[in-house]
Amino acid sequence: MEIFGSTFDDSVFSEPRERVCESLSSFTAKLCEAEWFCESSSSDTDDALEKQKVLKFRGDLALRRGNYQGALEAYSSCLQWISDNNLSIRRDVLEGMARCCTKLGQKDKALDLAELLSKEASNTCHLTSLLLLKVSIYQHFETTRSAMSCLQQLCSLLPFNPWHWFSLGQMCLQLLDSDTTTESAAGPEENQEETAELKEDQIWLKACICFIRTRLLLKILQQQQSSFVLQHSEKVLQTTEEALQRLDPTETTLQALTQVMSEDLVSEKMREDFQDGESLLSVHLQSFRERWWNKILLTGLLETHQLPETS
């Protein structure tokens, strides 16, 4: 009886076959001069894809150089050469056009382009980019409350991202420092629930919860950071602490707000809510008011609070 594994295949002792090395055809990489796409002859082609690349590159370069009118013209020409199934390039070009219109003072056109992007948004990455675009448009035209609405939606979409919370807190401070606390709510395209007018003491309270949430999230993230990333977090954390000192909530208020804003900051919950890139059809979002603001109002802090001097 043969023991399993005690025999060898004859092929083990056979002579190795000689390998025939077939010569490969020579390959020469295509070399392009710097800014080759700026030459007038580069767009003289019948290839739609090549035209799209040339015009897209021209628009990107013009935008980077601050030539917003030239970039807008290049992007507009590029749009007609983009194939229907190339959604990523189409979204990139539309966003570039919206940013150009913003810089050129064309608010309505910029928002119309953002609306086109919203109709084509199919996942959370698309929605995140769209909301950030709207924030930049509204900030440029000093429509602070509409920008706040978009940031609140970003906080609901990505609740564990400290940078959106920090930006929202900074906008609340801007409102406290300005005379725009009576500014009208956002346009009809925005969520009216998120943009209802807030009184000065409500803006103060919202600023507090944003900076408290920022501080909580940054302290969690710092455990996994190093180098310049950690340095940036420490700098923002210091700015956050200074903002809270300026807002000057009482110790009781600070503890109560910290308890509410830290309820969902557990590792299991944070992993479950990671939804970057998920289809919007499978994502259920609670509004900012439902998830945090109503809980804060239930604490009764607003009724017992006396607004400190923030100027």
Side-chain angles (χ1 to χ4, degrees):
M1 180 179 67
E2 294 181 354
I3 300 175
F4 179 74
S6 62
T7 58
F8 298 94
D9 191 277
D10 292 340
S11 62
V12 175
F13 303 100
S14 61
E15 292 291 331
R17 293 181 297 175
E18 293 185 4
R19 295 184 178 180
V20 179
C21 182
E22 298 180 357
S23 60
L24 300 175
S25 58
S26 60
F27 170 76
T28 304
K30 180 181 179 181
L31 298 178
C32 296
E33 297 292 334
E35 299 180 11
W36 59 271
F37 46 85
C38 293
E39 299 176 4
S40 58
S41 59
S42 60
S43 57
D44 296 337
T45 175
D46 295 329
D47 189 339
L49 181 59
E50 193 68 18
K51 279 183 177 288
Q52 171 210 294
K53 290 179 181 178
V54 169
L55 293 168
K56 173 70 163 56
F57 292 157
R58 287 180 183 177
D60 291 343
L61 182 61
L63 179 60
R64 183 176 180 181
R65 290 177 172 175
N67 180 9
Y68 303 116
Q69 184 60 46
L72 181 59
E73 292 172 0
Y75 284 141
S76 299
S77 299
C78 175
L79 202 58
Q80 62 181 316
W81 295 103
I82 301 176
S83 60
D84 294 338
N85 61 348
N86 199 344
L87 298 180
S88 59
I89 295 296
R90 175 179 165 81
R91 292 187 64 83
D92 199 19
V93 169
L94 287 173
E95 181 175 339
M97 292 173 66
R99 294 190 182 281
C100 290
C101 291
T102 301
K103 294 294 186 180
L104 293 170
Q106 302 172 11
K107 180 181 178 181
D108 291 341
K109 189 173 181 180
L111 291 175
D112 287 343
L113 289 164
E115 183 63 22
L116 280 178
L117 286 168
S118 68
K119 292 177 180 178
E120 299 178 2
S122 60
N123 57 49
T124 54
C125 290
H126 291 168
L127 184 55
T128 301
S129 298
L130 172 65
L131 290 172
L132 289 172
L133 173 63
K134 284 188 172 183
V135 169
S136 67
I137 295 173
Y138 288 130
Q139 280 186 309
H140 182 84
F141 294 103
E142 299 181 351
T143 316
T144 307
R145 288 190 176 277
S146 297
M148 281 181 60
S149 169
C150 294
L151 280 171
Q152 288 176 186
Q153 292 175 65
L154 279 167
C155 289
S156 299
L157 180 66
L158 302 170
F160 307 120
N161 184 315
W163 315 117
H164 301 323
W165 287 97
F166 179 74
S167 297
L168 182 55
Q170 292 283 69
M171 282 195 181
C172 290
L173 285 184
Q174 290 176 22
L175 280 177
L176 291 174
D177 289 339
S178 68
D179 297 328
T180 58
T181 52
T182 58
E183 178 187 341
S184 61
E189 77 279 359
E190 299 297 336
N191 186 342
Q192 294 299 322
E193 183 182 74
E194 302 288 358
T195 57
E197 282 193 27
L198 298 176
K199 297 179 181 179
E200 192 174 359
D201 55 350
Q202 293 177 310
I203 296 173
W204 175 88
L205 187 59
K206 185 165 288 189
C208 287
I209 67 174
C210 288
F211 287 120
I212 288 171
R213 180 77 170 190
T214 301
R215 180 170 67 180
L216 290 167
L217 289 169
L218 284 176
K219 287 184 176 180
I220 293 174
L221 289 177
Q222 281 183 328
Q223 301 172 16
Q224 309 167 21
Q225 294 175 336
S226 61
S227 187
F228 64 91
V229 178
L230 179 59
Q231 292 175 8
H232 179 61
S233 293
E234 290 173 345
K235 183 178 179 180
V236 175
L237 186 58
Q238 181 180 352
T239 305
T240 299
E241 296 290 358
E242 292 171 356
L244 282 171
Q245 289 177 11
R246 179 184 167 194
L247 292 166
D248 194 26
T250 64
E251 188 61 31
T252 301
T253 299
L254 195 61
Q255 290 178 1
L257 295 179
T258 300
Q259 181 177 355
V260 174
M261 300 309 293
S262 62
E263 286 179 352
D264 61 337
L265 298 185
V266 292
S267 56
E268 293 80 7
K269 179 66 175 176
M270 294 174 75
R271 281 196 295 269
E272 289 173 2
D273 270 20
F274 182 78
Q275 53 193 21
D276 189 30
E278 285 190 22
S279 169
L280 294 180
L281 296 176
S282 62
V283 174
H284 172 68
L285 293 179
Q286 282 184 298
S287 70
F288 188 92
R289 175 176 292 275
E290 292 172 337
R291 188 159 184 175
W292 294 287
W293 189 243
N294 285 343
K295 293 180 181 179
I296 294 297
L297 295 180
L298 287 174
T299 63
L301 293 173
L302 195 59
E303 288 75 9
T304 60
H305 166 68
Q306 291 183 348
L307 189 68
E309 294 292 332
T310 56
S311 56

